[in-house]
Amino acid sequence: MKEELATRYEPSAFEQRIYASWEAGGYFTPDLDPERPKFSIVIPPPNVTGRLHIGHALVNTLQDIIARWKRMSGFNTLWVPGTDHAGIATQMVVERKLAEQGISRFDLGRDKFVEKIWEWKEQHSTEIKDQLTRLGASADWTRERFTLDEGLSRAVRHVFVKLYEDGLIYRGIAMVNWCPRCRTAISDIEVEFRERNASLWFVDYDVTLDEAQAGGRKLTIATTRPETMLGDTAVAVHPDDERYKDLIGQYAILPIVNRRIPIIADPILVDPAFGTGVVKVTPSHDKNDYETGKRHDLPQLQVIGEDGRMTDAAGAEFAGLDRFEARKKVVEMLRESGQLAKVESHTNNVGVHGKCDTDIEPMVSRQWFVKIEPLATPAIEAVRSGAVQIIPQTWEATYFNWMENIHDWTISRQLWWGHRIPAFHCPNGHMAVSVEDLTACPECGAPVTQETDVLDTWFSSGLWPFSTMGWPDDTPDVRIFYPTDTLITGFDILFFWVARMIMFGLRFTGKAPFSQVYLNGLVRDEQGQKMSKTKGNVIDPLDVVNDVGADALRFTLAISTTGRDIPLGKSRIAGYSAFVNKIWNASRFAMMHIDAELRDAGPIERENLRTVERWILSRLNSATAEVNRQLSIFRFDEAAGALYKFFWHEFCDWYIEMAKPVLLGRHGSDQDRALAKRVLLEVLDRSLRLLHPFMPFVTEEIWQKLGGVEPSIMIAPYPVPEEVLEDPDAERLVNAVKAIITTVRNVRAERGFTPKDRFKLYIRGNDDRDSNFFRDYAYLLIELARLTEVSVEGEAPEGAHHDVVEGFHIAVEFPEKVVTQEQLDRVKREIEKAVKELESLDAKLANEQFTRNAPANIVAGAQARQTELRARLEKLQQNQ
RNA sequence: GCGGAGUUAGCUCAGCGGUAGAGCGUCUCCUUUACACGGAGAGGGUCGGGGGUUCGAUCCCCUCACUCCGCACCA
């Protein structure tokens, strides 16, 4: 039963009501029929740390478009939603919150602090669900997951224990990236490099040639980190460097602390051409020096502690000083002692912790690692073989580049929020790992305590595609929906997340966790700038939804998604919200003339259809094919663009206008009118279904009012192209009508006439059939081009405007000849343009190499164009 | 340093071997009973510079310039 549409499009009036009705209808939850073709996708779980930003709006809109498209296309579709505990990020946020009340996590203790974070999590995961709901995400909330859920935690333990048993997880002492602020180790990819203007300090070291000969020569050594000097245990030169060859094996005196340290030769560490060719060696605080120290069996002296302050080993004067304070003090003391040779300015890249921007301190410590190469090799192969396809493909090179140079993964974190490592230590030095908690040591029976470190947050999210399905149990979800089909996510987590999922998926399920990965670009502002709070150019997706509705935002995001970065600004969104408004109003117009009951008469009788109706159905069919094709290759922009163009510029601008004379009873028979209404309903109905994945709310609202066959448009079948609707002849004729109308309008404007001025049009058909067509559709030309009369037989009088349009000769007779200089210039310019084109075309066709070598259709096209241009030119010249 | 991408209309971007496209913006006209979040028209580009391949290049190859993004980082 049809209902009226509100006169104004107001999304806030229905969006939330509609979402509730979908959820109540259970449309987001797939059935468990293993026979049906399935489509499954898992959400990149947002961090529970806060509100969703525009990037989330994008990635979830794209997922929803694909999910809704697949669901309507007959796939048993599952979209799993959920959130990530996000280790450090969340812990940091809550710590900051507590700090406002003057409380540190140490005041609370581990258990109380973790409790606080859980409270935070409960608040925010609800907020995230609300936001996704407002966007229209068709995710199955009955399957919502969190990485710290009991089931997912069990998956984590299984994987950990199995990797340990397989020898792929080891615990050991190594130099890791340490964040002194967060007081935890982090992995290589969590380190970001910032270019910074710094100083290069040149320090003079005294050389003792041997015990007896103190003083004399000096070595000058450059450093960017003078404070680490306190921990130096050697000085290195290149073994072949003639300048220093004689000093190898001798000793240098470390300034300030006056420690005697060996001068060693190391071809790996030292580049004799760089700087002074002498390098200080600090095995405890530099990665290369650490390796050098191991090669030469140098002692390690840790002078910077876990908190970034100097240790007692740095000496009484420095102990307890912050590392940057210590740097100043060391420089000051060197200056005083006259051992600071010079200072140069220097730009270098400083590693910082990506989450908190604190300078990373390389630190030797005992951590847990994943031996990555045995996992990476199959993951490389999966992409190389095409088992996993990365889109856009250009990212594959980046993936290979990284995977082939991958380092072991530091998985332990000295945090409180996360999956505690399932390893148990006893006082006798035994250690056991176990899926179940242990109380007694399996070896000696002594009571055990669990490892205090937690796992890197990406360890658990790496299991997401199967841990959310219930793995390691053999659940129906695992059987039916795993592996998933498509993963849609940002390119920034290709290494953090996507690569880890492929590695874990292959290792533990024997299958790649998804077959396609679509990496979306970064949302930027209209100037192409990154959105950031400090720049103040951030667009909050919820503000946009409140303002213009979710559909406008979604459509803007989709049509802007080209595979690269996405420029998004208010004017862009406003432009596409006008499109939603257009859909609303066109539907309103259509619904004044149609009833759902029109369907009762059965399918459309094509044999009685008029040309314009056959034309719009043919155009609709092309758009249908295009949308399906583009969605299948993730060209969201092209798919949305095809719909935009069809609905607005073909359906609204032309078809509705061409149908009006018949619909409003100014022309045609009752049968014509009935068929036009039936076609109007058909086109609107199919358009709404085609549009639904992009703008779910407004299409549902209109569909409901229109009286759709299914209870919800989201489970109505997605249109597919039908060959019977293709109609090249109708397209040819209607294109001619459109072009003639445009030409008349154009000429009218050029000659300075207003729409009130009416002319007579002469047109010549190329054969009887065409002539009959123009006679039948003369009323259309008269209405849309605002003519007095159309003559198919008559001869145009002197002074008429002649032209050739789509192969048809036309002439427009003006009431009186109005000539201004401007108009003459215009005609002149038009002629010049045509002459120029014709000249180059003539030259081309006179060239034998072209006619011989170019494909036949190209040559034929050029010839046809040449003929048309010649005719047109002749007519245009008459106009002068 | 290694790798990848980009440079097309005023702005943001599509296109990619055969007569240069879209959205927004600009200018002109129009309140025609779905929509002024509208309709009709117009203007605007030697497709970063230079070579080459080709009958033909914005599109392929080389080269230069600039921009961006990864990765690696040397004191």
Side-chain angles (χ1 to χ4, degrees), chain A residues 329-497:
Chain A
K329 186 159 181 177
V330 166
V331 171
E332 196 49 44
M333 289 174 76
L334 288 172
R335 206 185 298 273
E336 278 168 17
S337 69
Q339 284 170 296
L340 189 63
K342 60 172 173 173
V343 184
E344 283 181 2
S345 65
H346 176 78
T347 35
N348 63 345
N349 286 322
V350 180
V352 300
H353 183 194
K355 286 272 176 254
C356 69
D357 241 20
T358 306
D359 284 21
I360 287 302
E361 194 59 51
M363 190 84 75
V364 180
S365 67
R366 185 191 292 272
Q367 302 289 344
W368 293 82
F369 301 90
V370 171
K371 201 171 159 194
I372 207 74
E373 200 258 317
L375 292 167
T377 305
I380 291 169
E381 184 47 32
V383 173
R384 214 179 287 288
S385 71
V388 175
Q389 194 192 351
I390 300 179
I391 303 152
Q393 201 183 355
T394 168
W395 286 105
E396 283 186 4
T398 308
Y399 175 83
F400 290 134
N401 188 359
W402 188 71
M403 290 294 270
E404 282 160 5
N405 299 293
I406 197 165
H407 299 295
D408 281 0
W409 176 14
T410 311
I411 50 170
S412 47
R413 296 289 180 274
Q414 288 65 51
L415 301 172
W416 290 351
W417 175 243
H419 297 95
R420 211 157 147 178
I421 288 176
F424 300 86
H425 306 278
C426 89
N428 302 320
H430 302 129
M431 189 188 78
V433 303
S434 167
V435 171
E436 303 302 330
D437 280 350
L438 297 180
T439 51
C441 176
E443 277 188 61
C444 63
V448 293
T449 52
Q450 188 173 355
E451 172 73 50
T452 53
D453 288 358
V454 300
L455 287 166
D456 180 6
T457 195
W458 299 102
F459 192 94
S460 55
S461 41
L463 314 176
W464 187 250
F466 47 97
S467 65
T468 52
M469 306 274 184
W471 186 92
D473 296 338
D474 180 27
T475 62
D477 277 7
V478 171
R479 285 197 301 272
I480 295 171
F481 296 110
Y482 187 84
T484 67
D485 295 272
T486 303
L487 178 80
I488 298 180
T489 190
F491 65 83
D492 51 325
I493 50 176
L494 176 61
F495 305 145
F496 283 106
W497 191 47

Side-chain angles (χ1 to χ4, degrees), chain A residues 163-399:
Chain A
L163 285 175
Y164 184 82
E165 285 168 355
D166 292 347
L168 295 186
I169 281 184
Y170 62 92
R171 186 178 185 229
I173 292 174
M175 178 150 272
V176 296
N177 306 297
W178 183 269
C179 175
R181 200 214 67 87
C182 302
R183 294 203 205 177
T184 179
I186 60 172
S187 67
D188 290 349
I189 49 176
E190 288 169 274
V191 179
E192 291 176 14
F193 288 91
R194 301 279 147 82
E195 194 166 276
R196 212 176 275 170
N197 294 320
S199 298
L200 192 58
W201 287 275
F202 290 78
V203 183
D204 288 335
Y205 284 45
D206 287 321
V207 175
T208 55
L209 289 174
D210 59 40
E211 297 281 334
Q213 295 176 287
R217 283 179 74 174
K218 286 184 194 303
L219 284 175
T220 306
I221 301 178
T223 178
T224 52
R225 298 199 56 193
E227 74 281 10
T228 62
M229 218 175 85
L230 303 169
D232 283 4
T233 53
V235 165
V237 297
H238 195 275
D240 302 331
D241 193 332
E242 294 300 331
R243 291 172 294 179
Y244 309 115
K245 222 167 181 172
D246 57 318
L247 297 178
I248 296 164
Q250 305 297 326
Y251 293 86
I253 303 294
L254 188 61
I256 300 177
V257 286
N258 294 322
R259 190 162 63 238
R260 205 178 67 128
I261 54 177
I263 299 170
I264 61 169
D266 193 287
I268 299 172
L269 181 69
V270 185
D271 172 4
F274 188 93
T276 61
V278 190
V279 182
K280 63 193 268 308
V281 184
T282 322
S284 287
H285 298 288
D286 181 277
K287 214 171 133 192
N288 291 309
D289 293 5
Y290 177 73
E291 299 300 327
T292 307
K294 282 208 288 195
R295 285 196 293 274
H296 296 270
D297 205 22
L298 298 172
Q300 292 179 4
L301 194 60
Q302 189 185 338
V303 292
I304 301 172
E306 291 181 354
D307 55 357
R309 293 178 179 277
M310 306 308 285
T311 63
D312 292 343
E317 289 174 276
F318 294 97
L321 264 189
D322 177 81
R323 53 191 168 146
F324 299 110
E325 292 300 317
R327 177 178 302 175
K328 284 184 201 156
K329 186 159 181 177
V330 166
V331 171
E332 196 49 44
M333 289 174 76
L334 288 172
R335 206 185 298 273
E336 278 168 17
S337 69
Q339 284 170 296
L340 189 63
K342 60 172 173 173
V343 184
E344 283 181 2
S345 65
H346 176 78
T347 35
N348 63 345
N349 286 322
V350 180
V352 300
H353 183 194
K355 286 272 176 254
C356 69
D357 241 20
T358 306
D359 284 21
I360 287 302
E361 194 59 51
M363 190 84 75
V364 180
S365 67
R366 185 191 292 272
Q367 302 289 344
W368 293 82
F369 301 90
V370 171
K371 201 171 159 194
I372 207 74
E373 200 258 317
L375 292 167
T377 305
I380 291 169
E381 184 47 32
V383 173
R384 214 179 287 288
S385 71
V388 175
Q389 194 192 351
I390 300 179
I391 303 152
Q393 201 183 355
T394 168
W395 286 105
E396 283 186 4
T398 308
Y399 175 83

